[in-house]
Amino acid sequence: MTQASLVVADHDHHHLNPATAKTVAAASHLTPNAVHIWVSAAPDAPPATEAAQLAGVTQVWTTADLDPEQATATSVATHVTPLVNEHGYHHVLGPNTTFGKDVLPRLAAVLGRPMVTDLSEIFDTWRYSRPIYAGNATAHISAASASGIVASIRTASFTEAGTTEQPGCVSAAPEPTNAPPEHARVVTRQSSGGNRPDLQNADRVVVGGRGLGSAANFERVFEFADAIGAAVGASRAAVDADYAPNEFQVGQTGRIIAPSLYIGLGVSGAIQHLAGIKDAGTIVAINNDPDAPIFEIADIGLVADLFEVLPRLQTAFGAATTAQCEVG
Ligand SMILES: Cc1cc2nc3c(=O)[nH]c(=O)nc-3n(C[C@H](O)[C@H](O)[C@H](O)COP(=O)(O)OP(=O)(O)OC[C@H]3O[C@@H](n4cnc5c(N)ncnc54)[C@H](O)[C@@H]3O)c2cc1C
């Protein structure tokens, strides 16, 4: 039985998702300096070499033959399960990203283990906490040590593990004895957001709400976000009204984000939305209703029509960038 934890890496086949480094940091709380990581990449591919350089990672397991375009929860579970069983990992962790939300429950089911979702604090090896009731309460959880656990990590609650000069070992993961089930296959993959920063890892996020009024008007959010190098998010009302795609949703049932700057445009600040931005640094709200609940938590609140304010803000940011360039 190993004393290490196993992290299932999320990556885009070019680089590790920063959420993976945060999960490694969480795993280091459980098993300091003994974190192993499974990466579906060739041993010399960037995701594997980046994983080896993360502080605390002593072993990288790679599976090179997993077709990235066909990687489903079932195929990942088929590869990770024998690794967990062979090495007796008590803790199998992954980030609470789209990838982790897809893969980890399947893995828990196949391993026959309990799953702890959205783990936000680690007290010791078997005691954790996670937010409940839209982040308004915290549940303290004790896991039974007998079977081990699978856990998803609330990445907003952990800072990324640093890098080390002494990379961990990189080895091929054992071949699974069973072929992956064929009942699930990837039909198509679509990504949205273009070249903008990833919503869940972005340092700045601009969120558009129902106050935008239409999908055409929501384009203003994209323009403004691009002007300040921010990711774009949306409230559920904006998603439901088809102003923005579903994966942009921020909140209890959307993405949990922790940017240093959040700007909400025409967002009322419903409790379910605020659950997603609890760890944000500076919260800026622009809303024409002075009684909007978002002003109760905003660090900077502007009671104004967003359509009047946005062009002026954009010009001001543009001017500031130009001034910086001239000085530099
Ligand atoms: C179980 C459950 C889960 C949910 N999960 C989520 C979630 O994950 N994320 C989420 O966001 N919501 C979630 N919701 C929905 C949530 O309760 C709210 O309905 C939603 O957040 C409202 O979105 P909004 O602020 O864009 O819309 P509204 O509440 O309609 O607010 C629009 C705001 O825009 C302002 N406005 C209008 N015009 C302008 C203008 N020209 N200039 C400036 N301001 C203007 C208005 O004053 C208003 O405050 C959930 C609800 C439930 C029941």
Side-chain angles (χ1 to χ4, degrees), residues 205-208 224 228 261-265 282-286 313 317:
V205 172
V206 181
V207 169
F224 179 55
I228 64 167
L261 175 65
Y262 162 101
I263 303 178
L265 303 169
T282 302
I283 296 177
V284 180
I286 301 172
L313 268 183
F317 270 110

Side-chain angles (χ1 to χ4, degrees), residues 209-211 235-237 249-254 266-270 272-273 286-289 292 304-307:
R210 183 152 41 194
S235 70
R236 175 151 153 189
Q249 184 176 315
V250 169
Q252 181 190 349
T253 46
V267 174
S268 60
Q272 296 88 356
H273 184 77
I286 301 172
N287 195 308
N288 60 7
D289 174 7
D305 186 321
L306 70 93
F307 297 108

